Amino acid sequence: MSAEEAGASASPLRRIKLSDQIAEDLCRRIARERMEPGQRLPNEQKLMQHYGCAKGTIREALKALEVQGLVAMRPGPNGGAEIRPVSIDAAAQQLRRFLHFRRLDFAQVYAVRRELEVALGLDVAGRLDAEALQRLEENILACEAAFAAGEHARGRSLELTFHDLLCDASDNALLAFMCRFINSLLRDLVEFQGSATEYAAFGAHNLESHRQLVSAFRAKDAEAVGRIMQEHMCCAEHYMRRLDASFRRDLLSGR
């Protein structure tokens, strides 16, 4: 086969729109210049001159960055594209869209969650101050009150908030993000089919585990934290199976 024939049979190259190229170049510029949230990109006129293109192309590029959550468009004569940190919600939504087209079950989720939550507990053990410990205890009391009032969905959400509070205390951004992401899946997308008795037992287990964790955190006993969290995750997975929990099929809409 000649080079000409090989070229003809190859898949056609995808043409990348100019606005997409500009958006990518602006991303590199933000990284290269170490731009911080609150700083502004050059105004439209300067960007048009720099890239040699029409206003509509620049606006399309900036809109793409806005959709990604990297900039916010500020109106007015002194407005423009302002750098902002990508939110946890925006990043999590992209992961949900990825998982929507793949089979997701609780064995997979808890194979990851067991390791991450133990790592998170060990990461914050010995570093939780009095205020953080008080927030954990207040969460437990709020969760107890929700279950006592028959507000099971709210109680379940508060149980997961307990773990989000541990994320707040971590300085490991990746670990905290992954734990928060899994918590959001469990909070927003899980449906239960089991009995009310089983559900109540699940709630009681979670509350007791959280009380034990707070005691271990107060004692700055990292070994106990790791052991209790490991048992907590194993039991939580067990109850999920007994309650015939399943993920909603729609992970695209978020909630």
Side-chain angles (χ1 to χ4, degrees), residues 157-194:
S157 179
L158 286 166
E159 288 171 352
L160 291 163
T161 298
F162 180 94
H163 293 271
D164 284 341
L165 290 171
L166 298 182
C167 294
D168 291 341
S170 174
D171 60 0
N172 185 327
L174 180 60
L175 176 61
F177 170 76
M178 294 308 300
C179 289
R180 282 186 187 279
F181 174 68
I182 292 176
N183 292 342
S184 74
L185 291 182
L186 296 175
R187 179 185 291 109
D188 301 341
L189 302 172
V190 173
E191 298 173 337
F192 295 97
Q193 304 297 325

Side-chain angles (χ1 to χ4, degrees), residues 57-178:
T57 303
I58 293 298
R59 288 186 172 179
E60 191 174 350
L62 294 175
K63 184 64 177 178
L65 296 183
E66 186 176 34
V67 169
Q68 294 173 35
L70 193 57
V71 303
M73 301 306 298
R74 302 302 183 193
N78 296 319
E82 181 181 293
I83 309 302
R84 70 176 186 180
V86 177
S87 70
I88 290 175
D89 289 342
Q93 187 59 34
Q94 290 300 315
L95 271 178
R96 287 187 181 189
R97 288 170 179 165
F98 170 80
L99 292 172
H100 176 81
F101 298 100
R102 286 156 179 80
R103 181 179 176 83
L104 184 66
D105 61 37
F106 287 99
Q108 296 168 336
V109 170
Y110 273 90
V112 176
R113 193 179 188 220
R114 280 195 301 271
E115 301 300 323
L116 291 179
E117 287 289 339
V118 171
L120 178 64
L122 294 175
D123 181 57
V124 302
R127 291 174 33 206
L128 294 169
D129 59 21
E131 184 179 349
L133 290 166
Q134 182 178 349
R135 284 196 295 269
L136 292 173
E137 291 180 333
E138 289 173 351
N139 170 272
I140 292 172
L141 292 174
C143 191
E144 288 177 328
F147 281 123
E151 300 174 354
H152 299 296
R154 181 169 178 269
R156 178 62 182 144
S157 179
L158 286 166
E159 288 171 352
L160 291 163
T161 298
F162 180 94
H163 293 271
D164 284 341
L165 290 171
L166 298 182
C167 294
D168 291 341
S170 174
D171 60 0
N172 185 327
L174 180 60
L175 176 61
F177 170 76
M178 294 308 300

Side-chain angles (χ1 to χ4, degrees), residues 10-11 13 21-22 32 43 46-47 54 71-72 79 88 103 119 128 131 145 149 186 191-192 194 219 225 247 255:
S11 300
L13 294 175
Q21 295 179 53
I22 293 172
R32 184 175 61 251
N43 61 34
K46 290 181 179 179
L47 291 175
V71 303
I88 290 175
R103 181 179 176 83
L128 294 169
E131 184 179 349
L186 296 175
E191 298 173 337
F192 295 97
V225 167
F247 283 109
R255 290 180 182 271

